[in-house]
Amino acid sequence: MLVVMRSDATEEQIQTVVEYIERIGCKAEPIPGGTRTAIGVLYNIEPLDPNAFLVFPGVKDAIAVSKPYKMVSREMKSEDSVVDVGGVKVGGTKFTVIAGPCAVESLEQAMTIGRLVKAAGAECFRGGAFKPRTSPYSFQGLGEEGLKILAKVREETGLAIVTEAMDIDCLKMVDEYADCIQIGTRNMQNFSLLKAAGKARKPVLLKRGMSATVDDFLMAAEYIMSGGNSNVILCERGIRTFANHSRNTLDLNVVPAVKMASHLPIIVDPSHAAGRRDQVIPLARASAAVGAHGLLVEVHHQPELAFSDGPQSLLPEQFAALIKEIRCILESCILPPEASR
Ligand code: PEP
Ligand code: MN
């Protein structure tokens, strides 16, 4: 249920509604908004009767929220959310590029790539210090040493840092060093990790699970938001299908679907969707055209020597050319946000 207050409602009238919501055993969640004061009603077991709220002075409307997710839903908040990642805005009418290697391998490797992606126009640097690998024998990441390297890249280049927290143990450390905590595909439904991310200070970049529906995806984001962290960025990174011409299948339909259902920003990772360099650029172009709020792209200056995901990493010059193309695409199809929803 969403209780919409009149624009001239007094603080006292709002407070009376909040107290009523708490008296019936629910949680009142004031929803920030430019044009209206609204209060979300959470944790109701049974459906609520709108008439019970309409009798209060100052209440304009009471709308039943039809979706299982509430805090992430457009019904609760009509304006796009803009998330601040270490001073870099993600969401709204902005297009943000996050780039870097799959894994942090050394200070020299990370710094070289950091400087190159910064010069090409990226605003955030990505690189895993904790790597979820299919094989236990593959490179698992440098751990805290990798986080320290990422902090040095930020210091030197000014790029904001996005890196993955694989479990609750390393989440605290990632929260300290990084500007944004990535939750990977394999962890999208790790509910204890999502709850812990809800208590983190930094924003969360939540990747879509390999076979998650839009509802599964948004419910995962709801876990983080309901835990107290409203700074969530969604990321489509390809889903598992029967197709074998790419590592995964990039589901671009999800971008307009999510933008319709939720106010949260959604970016696209064409690298993990493609799994091969030649498909990354066309998929990145399509992501910009479809209305995504940004890209997460793997870039490596020596992909043949990369510890992980070399075959899908763009060369720095390919990345720089892609950024130029993306600018042209965005300039040629800038529409008011409502028109593209
Ligand atoms: C990554 O971004 O390096 C990664 C492991 O991504 P995903 O969780 O999408 O596989
Ligand atoms: Mn990778």
Side-chain angles (χ1 to χ4, degrees), residues 39-112:
I39 308 163
V41 186
L42 305 178
Y43 297 110
N44 52 301
I45 296 159
E46 305 266 302
L48 297 167
D49 178 5
N51 292 317
F53 298 90
L54 291 172
V55 294
F56 285 92
V59 171
K60 185 171 167 219
D61 208 355
I63 307 159
V65 177
S66 53
K67 303 284 190 234
Y69 41 85
K70 297 177 193 292
M71 299 187 70
V72 305
S73 85
R74 228 357 130 190
E75 288 169 297
M76 281 285 199
K77 182 176 177 232
S78 58
E79 307 95 28
D80 282 356
S81 283
V82 177
V83 175
D84 188 310
V85 175
V88 175
K89 302 269 188 272
V90 183
T93 52
K94 171 108 191 296
F95 191 87
T96 310
V97 178
I98 304 168
C102 180
V104 177
E105 299 166 10
S106 67
L107 176 61
E108 199 204 343
Q109 173 252 16
M111 201 62 91
T112 305

Side-chain angles (χ1 to χ4, degrees), residues 97-105 109 113-114 116-117 122 124-133 162-164 182 185-186 207 235 237 247-248 267-281 284 295-303 306-320 322-323:
V97 178
I98 304 168
C102 180
V104 177
E105 299 166 10
Q109 173 252 16
I113 301 170
L116 288 164
V117 298
C124 303
F125 186 72
R126 61 141 294 141
F130 299 93
K131 292 303 304 173
R133 304 304 302 278
V162 179
T163 194
E164 179 162 353
Q182 179 171 319
T185 297
R186 294 155 191 83
K207 288 196 152 192
C235 179
R237 50 76 74 201
R247 182 170 171 186
N248 292 291
I267 67 165
V268 173
D269 167 358
S271 307
H272 292 87
R276 39 187 288 180
R277 192 169 305 125
D278 63 324
Q279 292 180 359
V280 173
I281 290 178
L295 285 174
L296 182 129
V297 189
E298 286 187 341
V299 178
H300 202 293
H301 64 309
Q302 293 173 315
F307 292 1
S308 61
D309 286 347
Q312 69 194 30
S313 299
L314 292 185
L315 292 159
E317 54 274 25
Q318 289 181 305
F319 175 69
L322 170 65
I323 295 291

Side-chain angles (χ1 to χ4, degrees), residues 129-157:
F130 299 93
K131 292 303 304 173
R133 304 304 302 278
T134 303
S135 163
Y137 309 116
S138 300
F139 176 61
Q140 304 285 309
L142 297 179
E144 188 168 10
E145 190 197 333
L147 296 177
K148 289 186 176 155
I149 292 173
L150 289 168
K152 286 188 182 143
V153 172
R154 172 177 48 217
E155 210 177 295
E156 161 91 14
T157 63

